[in-house]
Amino acid sequence: MPSENITRTTASVSLADCTRSELIIPHLHARDTAGILGEMSQLLHRHGCVPDALPFYQAAFNHALLSAVTTSTGIAFPHARSTGVRRLQFALGRTRKPVDWGGSRYC
């Protein structure tokens, strides 16, 4: 049975705390996994979220190849860990049409 005297030492964090409007692309130009990851990596780099776009892109691309990053509802959540990243942040991008994400399913 959990103790009723447990106190939380971390503050509540919302998704809004981890992104900002400059990190949202409502209409991605890229039409494939590599292109989308490149576009998003460059965006994160331009806004100071990752120190170098290429290592982040490579980490995200490799992770997308090795792990399932798509949901059954057609959304992809590519992600990566990279040295030099000091805080959790994310960018959001959307395509006008479904994309064959890594050959697995359409997102």
Side-chain angles (χ1 to χ4, degrees):
M1 177 191 276
S3 169
E4 301 211 12
N5 294 328
I6 296 175
T7 57
R8 301 234 180 235
T9 57
T10 58
S12 293
V13 178
S14 74
L15 289 176
D17 296 327
C18 300
T19 196
R20 54 189 186 270
S21 61
E22 302 88 41
L23 298 177
I24 298 172
I25 304 175
H27 304 290
L28 289 163
H29 296 288
R31 298 293 307 140
D32 61 8
T33 304
I36 290 170
L37 290 174
E39 195 171 337
M40 301 300 284
S41 296
Q42 287 294 328
L43 177 71
L44 289 165
H45 176 65
R46 267 193 318 275
H47 291 284
C49 302
V50 297
D52 191 349
L54 184 58
F56 185 79
Y57 164 82
Q58 290 170 329
F61 189 78
N62 288 338
H63 185 73
L65 290 176
L66 299 173
S67 302
V69 297
T70 59
T71 68
S72 61
T73 58
I75 300 172
F77 291 99
H79 54 283
R81 291 181 186 212
S82 180
T83 59
V85 175
R86 289 176 250 168
R87 61 182 283 241
L88 177 64
Q89 297 181 69
F90 71 91
L92 178 71
R94 185 166 189 240
T95 59
R96 292 182 189 266
K97 295 183 179 180
V99 173
D100 183 6
W101 189 266
S104 60
R105 67 176 60 162
Y106 288 88
C107 296

